[in-house]
Amino acid sequence: MQYDVLIVGAGSAGLSAALTLGRCLRRVLLADGGPPRNEASLGVHGFLSRDGIRPAELLRLGHEQLRPYETVEVQAVQIESITSQGRGFLATGHGTADDAPAHITARRVLLATGVSDILPPLPGFRELWGRGVLHCPYCHGWEVRRQPLAVYGQGRIVTGLALLVSRWSPDIVVVTNGPGHLTPNARRRLRRHKIGICEQPITRLVGAPNGSLQRIEFTDGSQLECVALFLHAAQHQRSPLAANLGVRMTSKGAIWVDAGMQTTITGLYAAGDTIPGTQQALLAAASGSRAAILINESLTREECPR
Ligand SMILES: Cc1cc2nc3c(=O)[nH]c(=O)nc-3n(C[C@H](O)[C@H](O)[C@H](O)COP(=O)(O)OP(=O)(O)OC[C@H]3O[C@@H](n4cnc5c(N)ncnc54)[C@H](O)[C@@H]3O)c2cc1C
């Protein structure tokens, strides 16, 4: 095997795993397939000692701090397939810069491939994503605190999110883009917290040149002025690798892992946003580091049999 560990994905989880494994003198290939999930955002918030750093700068620092660890190799490679081979894995892919084919063998594989967000197919959502259209008040609520906000969605999901966001602003309107499917109890809870409800279909979101939200326009010609819209976006795995390998997934589409962060395939691990749990950059980094420790311990057990 060329490597002890192939790490697929060089976001917070993958970079952190590479750092920990480099410090264990492990031969690591970190396959960097491109930008992270939060690429559109202006800043990573709530990351201890890096609060507000640009996403690209956080990753640049991660790469820079891998340099002293000569057993860690970073390649701009998109991994396209992984198969079990002997006591390890064979992965194939292509260089993202030069399209050169890559064939990699490794004793263990860590999937740190993240997720993609699925946005409503309405004008303005994709264009303002990460600036005026926000996914998480813990990440971006402080930046828009005490200002007029909208919360998008229907049913229980929008009710819970609107009540959560009310921690950051007293001026909130739930926009449901048609029937909101809100129970009488949900409507009562929203009213009690002075949260408005607008069930008019949306025509489009209108933003400022800097990407912040200015207003929401509705099909009846009415408008709602607000500086940001929060939503719980649906999401899917960024990479089909786990599904192609046939590993168990949770009902919500995350990669199932056991207490040792191993998938249902021995030697195949997963970390970061790909697995169940709260999704934040710092938590993804911690998850990558934990997976790395568990992988190193499993390799050590293999190398030092009883
Ligand atoms: C708009 C937005 C703003 C956010 N703001 C914040 C914030 O302020 N604070 C915060 O803590 N969190 C924030 N988050 C959440 C944060 O981005 C994620 O929790 C974090 O990026 C997860 O890290 P990860 O390493 O698991 O996945 P990612 O960062 O998404 O990294 C996965 C990497 O794997 C690569 N990859 C995928 N498939 C392959 C393949 N086949 N081969 C090679 N590489 C592959 C991808 O290109 C990507 O680089 C935000 C999210 C969004 C969407």
Side-chain angles (χ1 to χ4, degrees), residues 7-15 31-47 52 55 59 77-80 96 112-117 129-131 133-136 138-140 238-241 271-274 278-285:
I7 301 171
V8 188
S12 295
L15 281 164
D32 183 353
R37 178 182 169 206
N38 56 348
E39 183 193 20
S41 182
L42 288 176
V44 183
H45 298 109
F47 197 112
L59 300 191
V77 171
Q78 183 76 23
I79 300 296
E80 281 146 12
T96 52
T113 40
V115 295
S116 288
D117 300 276
W129 176 235
R131 297 175 185 218
V133 175
L134 302 169
H135 78 302
C136 163
Y138 294 104
C139 297
H140 305 290
R238 177 90 172 254
S239 156
L241 288 169
D273 279 6
T274 56
T278 305
Q279 297 177 339
Q280 282 217 304
L282 186 67
L283 299 177

Side-chain angles (χ1 to χ4, degrees), residues 152-159 175-182:
Y152 173 93
Q154 298 83 27
R156 278 174 52 195
I157 292 184
V158 78
T159 306
V175 292
T176 59
N177 190 33
H181 306 292
L182 300 165

Side-chain angles (χ1 to χ4, degrees), residues 62-76:
H63 280 278
E64 184 178 288
Q65 294 187 352
L66 284 179
R67 267 190 222 128
Y69 302 97
E70 64 271 8
T71 60
V72 177
E73 203 180 310
V74 182
Q75 282 182 24

Side-chain angles (χ1 to χ4, degrees), residues 85-172:
Q85 195 185 64
R87 289 169 71 89
F89 298 90
L90 167 67
T92 61
H94 275 90
T96 52
D98 54 10
D99 206 33
H103 297 271
I104 300 141
T105 54
R107 296 164 68 195
R108 302 285 187 273
V109 172
L110 173 63
L111 296 176
T113 40
V115 295
S116 288
D117 300 276
I118 304 164
L119 299 177
L122 288 165
F125 275 82
R126 181 54 66 188
E127 294 83 344
L128 303 178
W129 176 235
R131 297 175 185 218
V133 175
L134 302 169
H135 78 302
C136 163
Y138 294 104
C139 297
H140 305 290
W142 196 85
E143 281 61 42
V144 293
R145 65 196 181 282
R146 301 187 196 106
Q147 298 183 69
L149 303 174
V151 179
Y152 173 93
Q154 298 83 27
R156 278 174 52 195
I157 292 184
V158 78
T159 306
L161 183 59
L163 292 170
L164 178 68
V165 172
S166 72
R167 163 99 227 113
W168 282 269
S169 173
D171 186 353
I172 295 179

